[in-house]
Amino acid sequence: MNIYPIRVLLVEDDEDDYILTRDLLDEVERVRFSLEWVATYDAALEAIAQTRHDVYLVDYRLGDRNGLELLREAVAKGCKAPIILLTGQGDREIDVEAMKAGAADYLDKGHIGAPLLEHSIRYAIERKQAEQKIREQAALLDVATDAIFVQDRDNKILFWNKGAERLYGWKATDALGKNAVQLLYSKILPTKEDFGASFVNSNSNLSSDRFPPTDIQKTLAEKGEWQGELHQFNRDGKEVIVSSRWTLVRDEQAQAKSILVVNTDITSSKQLEAQFLRAQRLESIGTLAGGIAHDLNNVLTPIMMAIQLLEAQVTDERSLRLLPILKNNTKRGAALVKQVLSFARGIEGERTVLQVRHLISEIKQIAKQTFPKSLEFYTDIPQDLWTVSGDATQLHQVLMNLCVNARDAMPVGGTISICAENLIVDQNYARMNIEAKVGAYIVLTVSDTGTGMPKDILDRIFEPFFTTKEIGKGTGLGLSTVLGIVKSHGGFIKVTSDVGRGTQFKVYLPAVEATETQYREDLELPKGNGELVLVVDDEVAICEVTKTSLETYGYRVLTASDGIEAIATYAQKKSDISVVLLDMMMPSMDGATTIRTLQKINPYVKIIAISGITANEKIAKNAGSTVKTFLSKPYTSKKLLKTINLVLTEN
């Protein structure tokens, strides 16, 4: 029995009906009720606003107004207590509308008895309390950084937290009720036959390349949980890799009702792991290729010697015609072996201190004389470009190979660009790039506006004998030789490519006689004076390392993980924020949309666009004059600080 009475407000314009309701509540023995009565629409709104009652009984007919209008207005104003609508006999349409509007229940006034009234009130209060508890639990889940959602037996999404919104870019209002497979796995969609009435049907005939595969269903059915890695897609079509945990939720009768899914974004760590594995794979291939090349040299050497002896001894005309063929093909084989060895362990050659500017000038001259006239050639080399210790012939070969590949990628014309710059790789940059080491480099960038390469091709371009050219038009050793030479010089290569837009090779070579001077300059990097910088990036690691770098040099920093969070933060702090550092590719709201929205809030906002894809530079520049410059990932602390200082000090 309740110690405290249930506080009931009756909204009823007929006093006789009030007395009848009071008497019905007095008949209830198990529960005590405290009844208050108002007779008008306005008095009801005023009483509801005071939130003094546990439940409201609202008659449909209230003079000029009606209870359905009152229900809708009360719900719109945030009424938390349950509302039960009292209707006349046969008003089924009104009953349905009441439930749609948020009524906890509806009762036919002609058939209300004490037990029914008590049950309806108790049920409405218990249901409201349960809903409130769910909301509180959901609020706790929204605090979590992981993506958490619930899907039913037919993969329909029932719950979607803020973490899921941040990771996938879909708001809860967009995701709720949608099929999880169609929302998150856009490349391979299941057929209706794959998903029968239950996702725990272990006899389902799902192939391994579809989602969810049979092993997930079977493990869920047997153990009630599953965990592993999954490849998914966000709203922008960008692939995300998650560490996923699935838990089967059962009802009181132990029947499977839904799945709780908790996903942790591991995309960045998997990308670094892929870099490491790619480097490891190339190292293994190089070791194998080096061993084979060594053995081939042992085979070719006696053949070459024998041909030389035969040239001095053979006199018949037929043999004399065959010997040059044998000699030329043996030399060709030896040249291929030499290329393989240069990939495997590099060719030492004669190292001298070089100014690469001169090599680029030679390459430009050769290209203008021999490449098709439909190709334009552009160079940008600073006068203060640092020197490197290297073999001129080998580095000439690197640049020539890259330019020839660029030429072949533009059969109908385009532009080849060679640019050079000085770069100090610091800890900030090295943490973003597994192959980089702290120190001074020159960076040679060879780019084209050609056909580009898809990811599966891009991952294999440095493997020996891998080629996409027709048979007889390429050995597949050009880029593997380039990589071998660059590695033997202590450098590394980064490649980006966009299908239909072109490819960019960045060759990093250690600089000489610049490191000591440059590190002294680093100590005098421009510092901030407490200016507030908003850093917007969906990659947590990049956000944190950028924040640390800026705070070390006197700036204050706010971070946001997507465009929506950035806009909310900027709207609150716009008078304090001096500059926005904004990634162009993010879930929920991309960089271009975020820029437009920030410009509406403040037409004079200062924005530095950043991206790991150079094609986004054009998009950023077209976004308006508030985008002051473009910063390419990965970036050093020096580049970051100088860029921000330049933007803040410009007029």
Side-chain angles (χ1 to χ4, degrees), residues 63 69 79 95 162 221 224 240 246 275 449 457 473 475 500 622-623:
E69 292 178 61
C79 176
D95 297 339
K162 293 290 184 184
V240 293
W246 295 35
Q275 283 186 38
T449 57
I457 299 295
K473 291 190 176 181
T475 62
N622 291 335

Side-chain angles (χ1 to χ4, degrees), residues 252-478:
E252 295 176 355
Q253 287 74 42
Q255 295 296 313
K257 287 295 183 183
S258 57
I259 308 174
L260 172 66
V261 181
V262 181
N263 288 341
T264 303
D265 184 11
I266 57 172
T267 308
S268 295
S269 60
K270 295 300 289 186
Q271 287 171 345
L272 283 173
E273 183 184 334
Q275 283 186 38
F276 174 73
L277 291 175
R278 190 179 300 116
Q280 197 175 50
R281 186 180 77 231
L282 287 172
E283 185 178 346
S284 299
I285 293 172
T287 303
L288 176 63
I292 294 173
H294 181 267
D295 290 340
L296 283 173
N297 265 338
N298 290 338
V299 171
L300 291 172
T301 299
I303 295 175
M304 285 291 291
M305 293 173 66
I307 291 172
Q308 291 170 355
L309 290 173
L310 288 172
E311 282 179 326
Q313 297 176 10
V314 172
T315 55
D316 65 282
E317 187 177 342
R318 184 181 178 187
S319 297
L320 288 173
R321 286 200 307 267
L322 292 174
L323 282 176
I325 298 173
L326 288 174
K327 186 176 182 179
N328 290 335
N329 280 276
T330 305
K331 285 183 177 179
R332 186 181 172 195
L336 288 174
V337 169
K338 187 177 181 180
Q339 282 188 294
V340 172
L341 282 172
S342 70
F343 163 75
R345 53 179 179 265
I347 303 172
E348 286 301 324
E350 185 179 347
R351 301 295 170 88
T352 58
V353 176
L354 297 171
Q355 176 48 261
V356 181
R357 184 190 307 113
H358 305 310
L359 294 178
I360 296 174
S361 298
E362 290 176 16
I363 295 292
K364 181 178 181 180
Q365 190 65 29
I366 294 171
K368 282 188 172 182
Q369 292 174 357
T370 60
F371 284 14
K373 300 301 180 184
S374 59
L375 295 177
E376 295 182 11
F377 207 91
Y378 170 80
T379 59
D380 183 11
I381 303 100
Q383 290 298 316
D384 62 345
L385 185 67
W386 297 331
T387 55
V388 299
S389 175
D391 181 281
T393 302
Q394 292 175 21
L395 294 180
H396 188 283
Q397 185 180 0
V398 167
L399 290 170
M400 199 67 232
N401 258 311
L402 295 178
C403 288
V404 168
N405 278 353
R407 177 202 66 189
D408 294 344
M410 297 182 290
V412 294
T415 303
I416 299 174
S417 302
I418 301 182
C419 302
E421 62 178 319
N422 299 325
L423 175 70
I424 290 290
V425 170
D426 58 8
Q427 292 288 355
N428 188 75
Y429 191 101
R431 278 196 290 264
M432 295 185 198
N433 191 323
I434 197 170
E435 295 177 301
K437 295 179 181 178
V438 173
Y441 288 81
I442 68 164
V443 185
L444 305 176
T445 303
V446 180
S447 56
D448 64 65
T449 57
T451 54
M453 293 177 282
K455 186 177 182 301
D456 57 334
I457 299 295
L458 201 62
D459 285 342
R460 299 190 61 194
I461 57 173
F462 292 114
E463 294 179 10
F465 305 111
F466 177 79
T467 180
T468 58
K469 297 178 181 178
E470 297 176 19
I471 295 174
K473 291 190 176 181
T475 62
L477 287 170

